[in-house]
Amino acid sequence: LKAADSKWWKTDADADATAGAVRLGICVAAVNADTATKIMTYGKIRADAVFPALTVGAPAYVSTTAGEIQTAQPSGTDDVIRIVGYGNTGDELMFCPDNTYMTHT
């Protein structure tokens, strides 16, 4: 959630401004920019075709691709490492973003 304009923006582990000390939510339906939608801030979400294959109990992270999640911890210089949730099944994410993060050096 970008406080300056009160809009939800895609996260990107390559940018501290969108992945670091910001509130995270997950869009429950794909929409275009400036279109009203529903954002979930905590809970279970399933997305077979959108999520990478999740591992039960393993963390998922803010991705280095804007608006996505990834199962491998970002490792590039200045990448933000932030957990967004954990796999419940191979296709279901328990979205519970951690408020802490680190920047890879």
Side-chain angles (χ1 to χ4, degrees):
L1 178 64
K2 188 175 178 182
D5 61 9
S6 297
K7 292 183 181 180
W8 293 94
W9 291 80
K10 290 182 178 180
T11 60
D12 187 339
D14 294 322
D16 184 71
T18 64
V22 295
R23 186 168 183 203
L24 298 184
I26 193 164
C27 185
V28 296
V31 295
N32 296 319
D34 293 320
T35 303
T37 189
K38 293 181 180 179
I39 302 291
M40 184 175 71
T41 57
Y42 184 89
K44 292 189 282 185
I45 188 165
R46 185 180 177 114
D48 298 355
V50 180
F51 291 161
L54 302 170
T55 301
V56 175
Y61 301 88
V62 170
S63 178
T64 54
T65 301
E68 296 186 12
I69 64 169
Q70 65 186 50
T71 56
Q73 190 179 84
S75 59
T77 301
D78 296 329
D79 281 353
V80 174
I81 302 166
R82 186 168 178 188
I83 294 173
V84 296
Y86 296 86
N88 279 342
T89 70
D91 300 312
E92 184 181 83
L93 176 73
M94 180 61 199
F95 184 75
C96 53
D98 197 314
N99 289 328
T100 60
Y101 68 95
M102 295 183 293
T103 302
H104 190 271
T105 57

